[in-house]
Amino acid sequence: MAFAIKHPHLRIASYNIRKARGLDGRRDAGRVVDVINRLDADVVALQEVDMRLGNRPTAIPNDLIARATDFDVMPLAVNDVSLGWHGNAVLVRRGVGVAGVSRISLPGAEPRGAVAVHLEDGLTVIGVHLGLLRSSRRKQLAEIASQFGASERVVIIGDMNEWAPKRGFEALQDGFCLHTPGRSFHARRPIAALDRVALSHNLHLVDAGVEQGTMAKRASDHLPIWADVAYLENRTGSFASFSNALVAAPITKS
């Protein structure tokens, strides 16, 4: 089995688009797409991408993404009108190999679900929008963490809905390092780091940040976050153990 020395890095981003409704009260899918394009990401996890009622039609037309971006929408929806599942969708840049996708049902006081995209080089990206209650968030993170072994390379990213720097993330302490790219909410005046990224211990955070361009400050009530992640790449595309390959930092404070 042959291994590359190191994957240079993959940029993983997350954006709660609030159903494409900006701070001016207008729904503008094109504006959201412009913000996504500015992130220069390889994988983008989106939250609140579908409407809440009825059959949950998407707030961003699939054909707009096809025409105006270099991304493919991962097949996570369970109907023909939604972009995601429980409002969570994932976009992957064309040319990035995808081995498959999966859905993770989550416990809690309200219906929630996480979505996972498994890349061909062995990295799994999980998009989340955790519950409003800390008790639910703890159960949800525990459920996600239980799905993966110590040798798997996993990124958990999204709107984690937690205002505290460390409380609520106890389920991640053994297998993941939590990183806070910066304050992402409220977009008009960011005071809270609700959007975060957790990396399994065999991944390395190269850089991370919050997109604070003029368009991002208008398009939603959340600002997008991004993280550049480096890891050893398995050229065979199989999921192999790299648990001791890279050393990650402990859970960080906001």
Side-chain angles (χ1 to χ4, degrees):
M1 184 180 293
F3 303 102
I5 295 176
K6 193 176 182 181
H7 197 295
H9 72 258
L10 213 66
R11 174 162 290 188
I12 316 294
S14 174
Y15 190 15
N16 183 329
I17 69 168
R18 197 170 69 154
K19 307 171 193 66
R21 183 162 62 90
L23 298 189
D24 55 6
R26 293 191 302 111
R27 293 195 192 276
D28 189 338
R31 180 167 56 185
V32 170
V33 165
D34 287 344
V35 175
I36 292 171
N37 283 333
R38 286 182 58 86
L39 297 174
D40 194 27
D42 300 290
V43 180
V44 182
L46 299 174
Q47 301 90 48
E48 295 195 29
V49 75
D50 300 318
M51 302 300 181
R52 290 182 65 87
L53 301 178
N55 54 3
R56 304 199 67 169
T58 179
I60 306 181
N62 206 323
D63 61 343
L64 175 62
I65 295 173
R67 293 194 320 267
T69 79
D70 191 30
F71 291 103
D72 289 325
V73 179
M74 294 297 97
L76 291 158
V78 294
N79 60 35
D80 294 332
V81 297
S82 297
L83 199 68
W85 186 61
H86 284 284
N88 298 306
V90 180
L91 310 180
V92 176
R93 188 170 297 280
R94 292 168 198 144
V96 176
V98 176
V101 302
S102 58
R103 309 178 190 93
I104 304 172
S105 296
L106 298 179
E110 53 190 312
R112 298 275 174 169
V115 293
V117 173
H118 312 284
L119 303 184
E120 287 182 350
D121 63 9
L123 184 72
T124 293
V125 178
I126 302 173
V128 301
H129 188 187
L130 301 182
L132 297 176
L133 300 177
R134 181 174 288 158
S135 58
S136 292
R137 293 193 293 271
R138 283 175 166 148
K139 294 175 183 177
Q140 289 160 4
L141 289 174
E143 178 63 26
I144 293 169
S146 73
Q147 301 284 319
F148 300 94
S151 66
E152 294 179 86
R153 292 169 287 173
V154 181
V155 176
I156 305 172
I157 191 168
D159 180 357
M160 299 195 182
N161 257 327
E162 179 58 73
W163 289 66
K166 293 178 66 175
R167 288 185 64 192
F169 296 103
E170 294 84 358
L172 300 180
Q173 287 181 351
D174 291 339
F176 294 85
C177 294
L178 181 71
H179 300 278
T180 304
R183 296 174 180 175
S184 57
F185 182 85
H186 186 278
R188 181 177 287 114
R189 185 185 177 192
I191 60 172
L194 300 187
D195 304 275
R196 307 194 201 187
V197 57
L199 306 181
S200 57
H201 290 305
N202 44 23
L203 301 177
H204 175 66
L205 183 71
V206 177
D207 198 6
V210 179
E211 167 60 34
Q212 302 188 56
T214 301
M215 189 74 72
K217 291 179 178 179
R218 295 200 303 263
S220 175
D221 59 346
H222 283 248
L223 297 171
I225 64 167
W226 54 269
D228 291 339
V229 179
Y231 52 98
L232 296 185
E233 180 180 0
N234 178 357
R235 288 179 183 157
T236 68
S238 64
F239 291 79
S241 174
F242 294 95
S243 57
N244 297 317
L246 294 168
V247 179
I251 289 181
T252 57
K253 294 184 177 181
S254 339

